[in-house]
Amino acid sequence: MSSDSLSPEAAALDPERLPRHVAIIMDGNGRWAKKKLLNRVKGHEKGADAVREAVNTCREIGISYLTLYAFSTENWQRPRMEVDALMALLKKFLHTQAEELRANNIRLHTIGETDRLPDDVRQALEHVLSQTRHNDGLHLILALSYGGRSEIIHAVRGIATEVEAGRLSPNTIDETLLSGKLFTCGIPDPDLLIRTSGELRLSNFLLWQLAYAEFHFTPTLWPDFGKEEFVRILADYQQRERRFGQVDSDQAT
Ligand code: IPE
Ligand code: IPE
Ligand code: MG
Protein backbone atom coordinates (compact mmCIF):
# COMPACT_ATOMS: atom_id res chain seq x y z
CA MET A 1 0.00 0.00 0.00
CA SER A 2 1.55 3.23 -1.08
CA SER A 3 -0.98 6.04 -1.32
CA ASP A 4 -1.22 8.39 1.64
CA SER A 5 -4.86 9.14 0.74
CA LEU A 6 -5.92 5.80 2.25
CA SER A 7 -8.71 5.84 4.81
CA PRO A 8 -7.79 4.49 8.29
CA GLU A 9 -9.82 1.32 7.47
CA ALA A 10 -7.90 0.76 4.24
CA ALA A 11 -4.58 1.49 5.93
CA ALA A 12 -5.45 -1.10 8.60
CA LEU A 13 -5.60 -3.92 6.01
CA ASP A 14 -2.75 -6.41 6.24
CA PRO A 15 -0.78 -6.00 3.00
CA GLU A 16 0.45 -9.60 3.36
CA ARG A 17 -3.07 -11.01 3.33
CA LEU A 18 -4.68 -9.09 0.50
CA PRO A 19 -6.42 -11.11 -2.19
CA ARG A 20 -4.20 -11.11 -5.25
CA HIS A 21 -7.22 -11.29 -7.55
CA VAL A 22 -10.72 -9.95 -6.88
CA ALA A 23 -13.59 -10.78 -9.26
CA ILE A 24 -16.88 -8.88 -9.13
CA ILE A 25 -20.33 -9.66 -10.54
CA MET A 26 -21.59 -6.09 -10.87
CA ASP A 27 -25.32 -6.65 -10.54
CA GLY A 28 -28.35 -4.49 -9.72
CA ASN A 29 -28.13 -1.54 -12.11
CA GLY A 30 -31.69 -2.08 -13.34
CA ARG A 31 -33.16 -2.33 -9.85
CA TRP A 32 -31.26 0.78 -8.76
CA ALA A 33 -32.87 2.71 -11.63
CA LYS A 34 -36.32 1.23 -10.98
CA LYS A 35 -36.19 2.28 -7.33
CA LYS A 36 -35.58 5.83 -8.49
CA LEU A 37 -38.27 5.59 -11.20
CA LEU A 38 -35.59 5.97 -13.87
CA ASN A 39 -34.91 4.09 -17.07
CA ARG A 40 -32.65 1.00 -16.65
CA VAL A 41 -30.01 2.69 -18.80
CA LYS A 42 -29.58 5.37 -16.11
CA GLY A 43 -28.65 2.55 -13.75
CA HIS A 44 -25.97 1.35 -16.15
CA GLU A 45 -24.64 4.90 -16.45
CA LYS A 46 -24.37 5.20 -12.68
CA GLY A 47 -22.83 1.72 -12.64
CA ALA A 48 -19.98 3.02 -14.80
CA ASP A 49 -19.09 5.50 -12.02
CA ALA A 50 -18.97 2.62 -9.55
CA VAL A 51 -16.58 0.81 -11.91
CA ARG A 52 -14.20 3.76 -11.80
CA GLU A 53 -14.34 3.81 -8.01
CA ALA A 54 -13.69 0.07 -7.68
CA VAL A 55 -10.71 0.31 -10.03
CA ASN A 56 -9.27 3.19 -8.01
CA THR A 57 -9.76 1.34 -4.76
CA CYS A 58 -7.85 -1.67 -6.07
CA ARG A 59 -5.07 0.52 -7.37
CA GLU A 60 -4.72 2.46 -4.12
CA ILE A 61 -4.80 -0.63 -1.92
CA GLY A 62 -2.46 -2.64 -4.09
CA ILE A 63 -4.66 -5.44 -5.46
CA SER A 64 -2.92 -6.97 -8.50
CA TYR A 65 -5.89 -8.27 -10.54
CA LEU A 66 -9.49 -7.05 -10.77
CA THR A 67 -11.96 -8.87 -13.02
CA LEU A 68 -15.33 -7.23 -13.67
CA TYR A 69 -18.30 -9.09 -15.14
CA ALA A 70 -19.67 -6.41 -17.44
CA PHE A 71 -21.70 -8.38 -20.02
CA SER A 72 -22.56 -12.07 -20.16
CA THR A 73 -23.24 -14.30 -23.16
CA GLU A 74 -26.83 -14.46 -21.86
CA ASN A 75 -27.11 -10.66 -21.73
CA TRP A 76 -27.29 -10.61 -25.57
CA GLN A 77 -30.89 -11.78 -25.11
CA ARG A 78 -31.93 -8.53 -23.40
CA PRO A 79 -34.07 -6.04 -25.38
CA ARG A 80 -32.17 -4.56 -28.30
CA MET A 81 -32.46 -1.06 -26.87
CA GLU A 82 -30.71 -2.07 -23.63
CA VAL A 83 -27.97 -4.02 -25.42
CA ASP A 84 -27.30 -1.03 -27.69
CA ALA A 85 -27.16 1.31 -24.71
CA LEU A 86 -24.73 -0.99 -22.90
CA MET A 87 -22.49 -1.16 -25.97
CA ALA A 88 -22.55 2.63 -26.32
CA LEU A 89 -21.67 2.99 -22.65
CA LEU A 90 -18.80 0.56 -22.98
CA LYS A 91 -17.42 2.53 -25.92
CA LYS A 92 -17.74 5.76 -23.96
CA PHE A 93 -16.02 4.19 -20.96
CA LEU A 94 -13.12 3.08 -23.15
CA HIS A 95 -12.77 6.54 -24.69
CA THR A 96 -13.00 8.46 -21.45
CA GLN A 97 -10.84 6.06 -19.43
CA ALA A 98 -8.06 5.37 -21.93
CA GLU A 99 -5.86 8.19 -20.70
CA GLU A 100 -6.57 7.50 -17.04
CA LEU A 101 -5.70 3.83 -17.39
CA ARG A 102 -2.48 4.74 -19.13
CA ALA A 103 -1.55 7.40 -16.58
CA ASN A 104 -2.30 5.06 -13.67
CA ASN A 105 -0.19 2.22 -15.10
CA ILE A 106 -3.25 -0.03 -15.42
CA ARG A 107 -3.18 -2.81 -17.99
CA LEU A 108 -6.50 -3.69 -19.60
CA HIS A 109 -7.37 -7.27 -20.61
CA THR A 110 -10.61 -8.80 -21.82
CA ILE A 111 -12.09 -12.26 -21.51
CA GLY A 112 -15.08 -13.51 -23.47
CA GLU A 113 -16.32 -13.79 -27.03
CA THR A 114 -15.24 -10.27 -27.90
CA ASP A 115 -15.62 -11.00 -31.61
CA ARG A 116 -19.39 -10.72 -31.03
CA LEU A 117 -19.05 -7.05 -29.99
CA PRO A 118 -20.01 -4.39 -32.56
CA ASP A 119 -17.09 -3.25 -34.76
CA ASP A 120 -16.80 0.23 -33.27
CA VAL A 121 -16.66 -1.15 -29.72
CA ARG A 122 -14.08 -3.75 -30.76
CA GLN A 123 -11.93 -1.07 -32.31
CA ALA A 124 -12.09 1.10 -29.18
CA LEU A 125 -11.20 -1.96 -27.14
CA GLU A 126 -8.24 -2.93 -29.34
CA HIS A 127 -6.95 0.61 -29.05
CA VAL A 128 -6.97 0.65 -25.23
CA LEU A 129 -5.62 -2.91 -25.03
CA SER A 130 -2.65 -1.94 -27.14
CA GLN A 131 -2.18 1.44 -25.41
CA THR A 132 -1.93 -0.18 -21.99
CA ARG A 133 -0.11 -3.38 -22.88
CA HIS A 134 3.21 -2.29 -21.37
CA ASN A 135 1.68 -1.16 -18.09
CA ASP A 136 2.62 -3.27 -15.10
CA GLY A 137 0.40 -1.96 -12.31
CA LEU A 138 -3.15 -3.21 -11.72
CA HIS A 139 -4.43 -5.76 -14.26
CA LEU A 140 -8.02 -4.81 -15.08
CA ILE A 141 -9.88 -7.65 -16.78
CA LEU A 142 -13.25 -6.88 -18.36
CA ALA A 143 -15.49 -9.90 -18.94
CA LEU A 144 -17.38 -8.97 -22.11
CA SER A 145 -19.75 -11.33 -23.85
CA TYR A 146 -18.36 -13.79 -21.34
CA GLY A 147 -19.82 -17.14 -20.33
CA GLY A 148 -18.03 -19.77 -18.26
CA ARG A 149 -19.53 -22.69 -20.16
CA SER A 150 -18.70 -21.28 -23.58
CA GLU A 151 -15.15 -20.61 -22.34
CA ILE A 152 -14.74 -24.26 -21.31
CA ILE A 153 -16.19 -25.51 -24.61
CA HIS A 154 -13.79 -23.25 -26.51
CA ALA A 155 -10.86 -24.69 -24.51
CA VAL A 156 -12.00 -28.30 -24.99
CA ARG A 157 -12.34 -27.76 -28.74
CA GLY A 158 -8.77 -26.45 -28.87
CA ILE A 159 -7.49 -29.47 -26.97
CA ALA A 160 -9.50 -31.93 -29.10
CA THR A 161 -8.08 -30.38 -32.27
CA GLU A 162 -4.53 -30.90 -31.01
CA VAL A 163 -5.27 -34.48 -30.01
CA GLU A 164 -6.82 -35.16 -33.42
CA ALA A 165 -3.76 -33.73 -35.14
CA GLY A 166 -1.56 -36.04 -33.07
CA ARG A 167 0.22 -33.16 -31.32
CA LEU A 168 -1.15 -34.01 -27.89
CA SER A 169 -1.72 -37.24 -26.04
CA PRO A 170 -4.96 -37.45 -23.98
CA ASN A 171 -3.09 -38.54 -20.85
CA THR A 172 -1.05 -35.33 -20.78
CA ILE A 173 -4.28 -33.32 -20.34
CA ASP A 174 -4.21 -31.90 -16.82
CA GLU A 175 -5.43 -28.82 -14.92
CA THR A 176 -2.50 -26.70 -16.03
CA LEU A 177 -3.08 -27.54 -19.68
CA LEU A 178 -6.80 -26.79 -19.52
CA SER A 179 -6.24 -23.56 -17.55
CA GLY A 180 -3.84 -22.46 -20.26
CA LYS A 181 -6.55 -22.82 -22.91
CA LEU A 182 -9.07 -20.60 -21.11
CA PHE A 183 -9.52 -16.88 -21.83
CA THR A 184 -7.87 -16.30 -18.45
CA CYS A 185 -4.60 -17.98 -19.48
CA GLY A 186 -1.76 -16.45 -17.44
CA ILE A 187 -4.10 -14.80 -14.91
CA PRO A 188 -4.14 -16.34 -11.41
CA ASP A 189 -7.49 -17.69 -10.17
CA PRO A 190 -9.60 -15.20 -8.17
CA ASP A 191 -9.14 -15.32 -4.40
CA LEU A 192 -12.30 -13.36 -3.69
CA LEU A 193 -15.60 -13.16 -5.57
CA ILE A 194 -18.03 -10.36 -4.77
CA ARG A 195 -21.59 -10.22 -6.10
CA THR A 196 -23.77 -7.19 -5.51
CA SER A 197 -27.59 -6.91 -5.52
CA GLY A 198 -28.36 -9.82 -3.21
CA GLU A 199 -28.51 -12.57 -5.84
CA LEU A 200 -26.86 -15.76 -4.63
CA ARG A 201 -25.67 -17.29 -7.88
CA LEU A 202 -22.76 -17.30 -10.31
CA SER A 203 -24.69 -16.62 -13.53
CA ASN A 204 -22.11 -18.48 -15.62
CA PHE A 205 -19.12 -16.50 -14.32
CA LEU A 206 -15.61 -18.04 -14.13
CA LEU A 207 -16.94 -21.54 -13.44
CA TRP A 208 -13.52 -23.20 -13.58
CA GLN A 209 -11.48 -20.41 -12.00
CA LEU A 210 -13.65 -19.89 -8.90
CA ALA A 211 -13.10 -23.44 -7.61
CA TYR A 212 -11.45 -22.23 -4.39
CA ALA A 213 -12.37 -18.54 -4.22
CA GLU A 214 -13.94 -17.03 -1.11
CA PHE A 215 -17.45 -15.71 -1.86
CA HIS A 216 -19.00 -12.51 -0.58
CA PHE A 217 -22.58 -11.58 -1.42
CA THR A 218 -23.89 -8.11 -0.59
CA PRO A 219 -27.41 -6.69 -0.99
CA THR A 220 -25.97 -3.35 -2.15
CA LEU A 221 -26.96 -2.54 -5.72
CA TRP A 222 -23.92 -2.04 -7.95
CA PRO A 223 -24.34 1.74 -8.53
CA ASP A 224 -24.24 2.20 -4.72
CA PHE A 225 -21.14 0.03 -4.23
CA GLY A 226 -18.35 2.26 -3.01
CA LYS A 227 -14.87 2.23 -1.57
CA GLU A 228 -15.95 1.97 2.07
CA GLU A 229 -17.88 -1.25 1.54
CA PHE A 230 -15.16 -2.68 -0.67
CA VAL A 231 -12.60 -2.10 2.10
CA ARG A 232 -14.92 -3.74 4.68
CA ILE A 233 -15.23 -6.80 2.43
CA LEU A 234 -11.44 -6.97 2.11
CA ALA A 235 -11.12 -6.77 5.91
CA ASP A 236 -13.65 -9.62 6.23
CA TYR A 237 -11.70 -11.66 3.66
CA GLN A 238 -8.58 -11.27 5.79
CA GLN A 239 -10.37 -13.03 8.66
CA ARG A 240 -11.17 -16.11 6.60
CA GLU A 241 -9.18 -19.28 6.79
CA ARG A 242 -8.59 -20.85 3.40
CA ARG A 243 -7.95 -24.56 3.79
CA PHE A 244 -7.99 -25.83 0.18
CA GLY A 245 -9.27 -29.20 1.39
CA GLN A 246 -6.59 -29.62 4.05
CA VAL A 247 -6.80 -29.42 7.84
CA ASP A 248 -6.29 -26.32 10.01
CA SER A 249 -2.62 -25.56 10.52
CA ASP A 250 -2.98 -26.01 14.32
CA GLN A 251 -4.56 -29.48 13.84
CA ALA A 252 -1.95 -30.83 11.49
CA THR A 253 -0.10 -32.94 14.10
C1 IPE B 1 -25.95 -5.59 -14.04
O1 IPE B 1 -27.14 -5.00 -13.71
C2 IPE B 1 -25.40 -5.09 -15.34
C3 IPE B 1 -25.49 -6.07 -16.44
C4 IPE B 1 -25.90 -7.30 -16.36
C5 IPE B 1 -25.07 -5.60 -17.75
P1 IPE B 1 -28.53 -5.56 -14.24
O2 IPE B 1 -28.86 -4.87 -15.52
O3 IPE B 1 -28.53 -7.04 -14.31
O4 IPE B 1 -29.52 -5.06 -13.11
P2 IPE B 1 -30.72 -5.85 -12.46
O5 IPE B 1 -30.20 -7.17 -12.02
O6 IPE B 1 -31.78 -5.98 -13.51
O7 IPE B 1 -31.15 -5.00 -11.31
C1 IPE C 1 -24.78 -11.35 -14.39
O1 IPE C 1 -25.88 -10.60 -14.05
C2 IPE C 1 -24.04 -10.71 -15.52
C3 IPE C 1 -23.39 -9.43 -15.23
C4 IPE C 1 -23.36 -8.84 -14.09
C5 IPE C 1 -22.71 -8.83 -16.34
P1 IPE C 1 -27.34 -10.90 -14.64
O2 IPE C 1 -28.24 -9.88 -14.08
O3 IPE C 1 -27.26 -11.00 -16.11
O4 IPE C 1 -27.62 -12.34 -14.05
P2 IPE C 1 -28.98 -13.06 -13.69
O5 IPE C 1 -29.84 -13.00 -14.91
O6 IPE C 1 -29.59 -12.31 -12.55
O7 IPE C 1 -28.59 -14.44 -13.30
MG1 MG D 1 -28.99 -8.46 -12.99
Side-chain angles (χ1 to χ4, degrees), residues 26-32 40 44 69-72 75 78 82 86 195 197 199 221-222:
M26 311 182 289
D27 198 13
N29 295 350
R31 277 162 283 171
W32 182 92
R40 291 178 59 84
H44 297 312
Y69 202 6
F71 194 86
S72 73
N75 289 151
R78 291 193 178 191
E82 183 168 346
L86 281 164
R195 183 172 187 149
S197 90
E199 306 298 353
L221 302 174
W222 176 251

